[in-house]
Amino acid sequence: MPYVVTRSCCADASCVLACPVNCIHPAPGEPGFGQTEMLYVDPRTCVDCGACTSACPVDALKPHTRLTEAELPFLEINRAYYDDHPHEDRTPMAVIPPQRRIPAGELRVAVVGAGPAGLFAADELLRYPGVSVTVHDRLPTPYGLARAGVAPDHQDTKRVARLFRAVESQPGFSYRLNTEIGRDLRHEDLVRDFHAVVYAVGAATDRRLGIDGEDLPGSASATDFVAWYNGHPDHAADHYALDGERAVVIGNGNVALDVARILTADPDTLSRTDISDRALAALQASRVTEVVVLGRRGPAEAAFTLPELLALAALDGVDVLVEAWPEDLPADDTPRTRVLAELAARTPVPGRRRIVLRFRTRPTEILGDDRVTGLAVEGTGPRAGEGAGTVEASLVLRAIGYRARPVPGLPFDRATGTVPHERGRVEPGVYVAGWIKRGPSGFIGTNRSCARETVSALLDDFEAGLLTAPADGGPVGSGHPEAVGLDGWRAIDGRERAEGERQGRPRVKLVDRSALLDAARSGDRPRRTGALFSGRSSAGSTPAGGNAPA
C-alpha cells in the first residue's frame, strides 16, 4: 500500500527527511529539487510506514487505498516520475545546518516580509541559539500569499500556516507588523538597529498587456482580483462587475486557473471556506456562466501545473473544455497529455457553468467605450489566420505574471525584476530571499531552500566579522505607535477563527485595516511595552539587546 503525493505540495523536504527508505524525490541536493511541480513517492520502495504523513504540513500524502476518484491519477503520476528519474544510486542530502557557535545576544537580524520566504528565513536563522529575528511587514497580518494568494477552495495548501505558527513560537522571534519600510521605518534604521537585514518582499505587482483598452472599467489584474476574494486589506473596497455572462482570463498559469475556478464555483461551497465575505456576496449575485482562459502558446507550453489541471478537470457541476487544433495537442502519452485530450473530447452539457481553455490566441485590444464589452484576438502558430475575431465579455483579467517593485536603498535589475545578489548577499549585512531574489518562480516550499542559501551567506559573513554591530548595542527602536507584534497577530487570528467556528468555516477574515488593528489592540492592551502592541514571542524571552520591538 504505497503512499501517494496527491497535489502540488509545499515541497519543503519535510517528508523527504522523515522517510526511512529514501523513496521520496527529488530530495535536497538532487536535480529538480525546488523546481518540480511536486514531490513523488516511489511505489517500489515505499514500505507503508506513514512517516511522511506525519511530517507533511499540508496533508498532501495519502495511502493509495484512500484516494478519491479525482486523486487516482496521482498514483500513476508518482510512479511515472521514476521511469525518467531512477534514483537507486542516490542518497538524500540531510538538511542539517553546519555547527556554528553564536553566543546569546550576539546576532540580531531584521527580516522584511512576513510571507513564506521571510518566515522560512527566520526559521533557518533561529536554528542557532543566540540569534534573534524581528519580522517586519506592512500589513497587520503575516503569511503573505499563503494567506492572500492561495485560493480559498485550497484549504489543504493553506495548512502550511501550521509551519509558520511553529516558527512564531520559537524563542528569539518577534513581529513588527503594520510597519512599512520607507514610511514608518527606513532602510537606514534597520541597518543601524540590526546586524543584518534580509529582504523577502516578494513580487507585489503584475505584468501589463500593453494593449489599447487595458485601463477600461472591467479590465483588471488577476493579482488584484485574487487579493480581493482573499480579503487583502488593500483591496477590501474593490468592486468587480459580475453582471455579464462571460469573463476572460488572459494567461494560463495556475493563477488563471484559480480565478476561473472561483468565478464558476458554487457559492454554497465557497461559503464554507475563508473567502472574503464581500467577495462571497458578489459571487452569489454573479451572472457569470462562462470563463474563457486564453493562452498565447499551445497546450504543451501552458504554464499551469498538472495537479492544478487535474483539479480543474475533476470539478463537479462545471464543464471544463479545451479548444485547440488536434495538431496542437502533444503527441506523447503522458498524464498531462491524456488529461488535455480528454478535455478536448468533452461535449458541453447545456445549462452548466463552463471553463474553456483556449490556446494559440493573443489579445490585441480590449473593447468598449465606458466599460469592457469584449476582447479583440488573433491566432498564433500555424493557423494564425483562423483565430482572429472578437470575444464578447464584461470582465477581462490579466494573469500573465507577477513583478517586483524596486526596494528603496537596494540596487534593482528592471529586466529581471530582482535585486542583484550572490547567494542572496547584496552586500555584507544586506540580503534577499524569495521572489525579490530569484523572480516569481517556484512553489511555497521552494522558499525553504532559497532561504537556506541566503542564511548560509549571512552566517558566513557574521563568522568572517563582516557584519556591523547595532550602533549603540542597545535596544531596537520601538518603531511607530501602531506596529503590531506577535500578541496582536494572535489576537487577530483568534478572533477570525472564533467567528469561523461559529459559522462552520476555517476562519472569517477581517478585511478592513481598522478592524484588524482594533482586534490587535483588544488582545494586546494588557501587554503594552512602549509601542501599542507587544512584539515578543510568548514562547521565549525578549530578543537580546533590550525591550521587544513592537
Side-chain angles (χ1 to χ4, degrees), residues 441-456:
S441 62
F443 309 96
I444 288 176
T446 309
N447 293 295
R448 170 75 81 182
S449 54
C450 175
R452 186 174 295 123
E453 178 186 61
T454 295
V455 169
S456 178

Side-chain angles (χ1 to χ4, degrees), residues 121-481:
D123 189 34
E124 292 296 322
L125 285 159
L126 292 170
R127 293 172 186 268
Y128 304 95
V131 180
S132 64
V133 179
T134 302
V135 178
H136 302 68
D137 200 282
R138 69 181 189 84
L139 296 179
T141 57
Y143 304 170
L145 288 180
R147 175 180 167 97
V150 175
D153 59 344
H154 279 4
Q155 289 298 310
D156 45 12
T157 305
K158 289 176 179 278
R159 292 191 186 110
V160 73
R162 293 184 298 191
L163 282 176
F164 302 150
R165 286 194 288 272
V167 176
E168 294 167 348
S169 296
Q170 296 183 60
F173 180 93
S174 60
Y175 272 136
R176 187 186 278 169
L177 305 173
N178 197 42
T179 300
E180 185 171 347
I181 307 307
R183 183 194 66 187
D184 304 308
L185 287 175
R186 302 170 302 162
H187 170 71
E188 293 79 4
D189 297 327
L190 298 177
V191 171
R192 180 197 66 218
D193 288 341
F194 294 87
H195 292 86
V197 185
V198 178
Y199 284 91
V201 293
T205 61
D206 67 289
R207 296 181 183 274
R208 291 179 60 84
L209 294 165
I211 60 176
D212 289 342
E214 191 169 7
D215 294 317
L216 278 170
S219 168
S221 155
T223 305
D224 292 345
F225 189 77
V226 169
W228 169 71
Y229 66 60
N230 270 316
H232 192 296
D234 288 353
H235 298 275
D238 288 1
H239 171 74
Y240 294 90
L242 306 179
D243 54 351
E245 294 185 356
R246 180 183 292 124
V248 173
V249 183
I250 301 171
N252 55 19
N254 286 347
V255 172
L257 298 196
D258 281 347
V259 168
R261 201 177 60 252
I262 295 300
L263 280 168
T264 56
D266 180 356
D268 287 342
T269 300
L270 291 177
S271 70
R272 296 188 290 274
T273 73
D274 64 347
I275 190 170
S276 157
D277 283 348
R278 293 176 184 174
L280 178 61
L283 291 165
Q284 287 170 331
S286 171
R287 294 182 57 209
V288 174
T289 59
E290 180 179 272
V291 179
V292 179
V293 180
L294 295 184
R296 178 173 55 86
R297 295 179 293 181
E301 296 82 29
F304 51 68
T305 61
L306 175 58
E308 288 298 322
L309 179 63
L310 283 168
L312 199 72
L315 288 177
D316 186 26
V318 178
D319 280 334
V320 181
L321 310 170
V322 163
E323 268 188 26
W325 302 112
E327 60 267 29
D328 284 339
L329 293 174
D332 53 25
D333 185 31
T334 62
R336 183 186 180 99
T337 298
R338 290 196 292 272
V339 175
L340 288 167
E342 188 272 324
L343 295 177
R346 282 187 181 180
T347 300
V349 177
R352 272 191 178 181
R353 287 158 292 165
R354 181 183 306 174
I355 297 173
V356 180
L357 306 182
R358 181 172 175 182
F359 298 96
R360 301 286 188 191
T361 304
R362 176 170 53 221
T364 58
E365 182 182 358
I366 297 176
L367 306 174
D369 294 324
D370 55 353
R371 62 168 292 179
V372 170
T373 59
L375 185 69
V377 299
E378 64 182 14
T380 65
R383 298 199 187 191
E386 301 179 45
T390 300
V391 180
E392 293 184 2
S394 59
L395 178 67
V396 174
L397 299 171
R398 60 184 181 274
I400 55 175
Y402 292 90
R403 184 171 179 80
R405 295 190 182 103
V407 178
L410 273 63
F412 190 71
D413 184 338
R414 294 189 178 276
T416 62
T418 61
V419 171
H421 66 91
E422 181 182 354
R423 294 176 50 233
R425 179 192 297 107
V426 181
E427 61 184 35
V430 180
Y431 307 85
V432 287
W435 282 0
I436 194 65
K437 171 185 173 183
R438 65 180 193 274
S441 62
F443 309 96
I444 288 176
T446 309
N447 293 295
R448 170 75 81 182
S449 54
C450 175
R452 186 174 295 123
E453 178 186 61
T454 295
V455 169
S456 178
L458 186 159
L459 294 176
D460 286 346
D461 289 349
F462 176 72
E463 291 184 334
L466 300 178
L467 303 186
T468 303
D472 58 4
V476 178
S478 61
H480 67 108

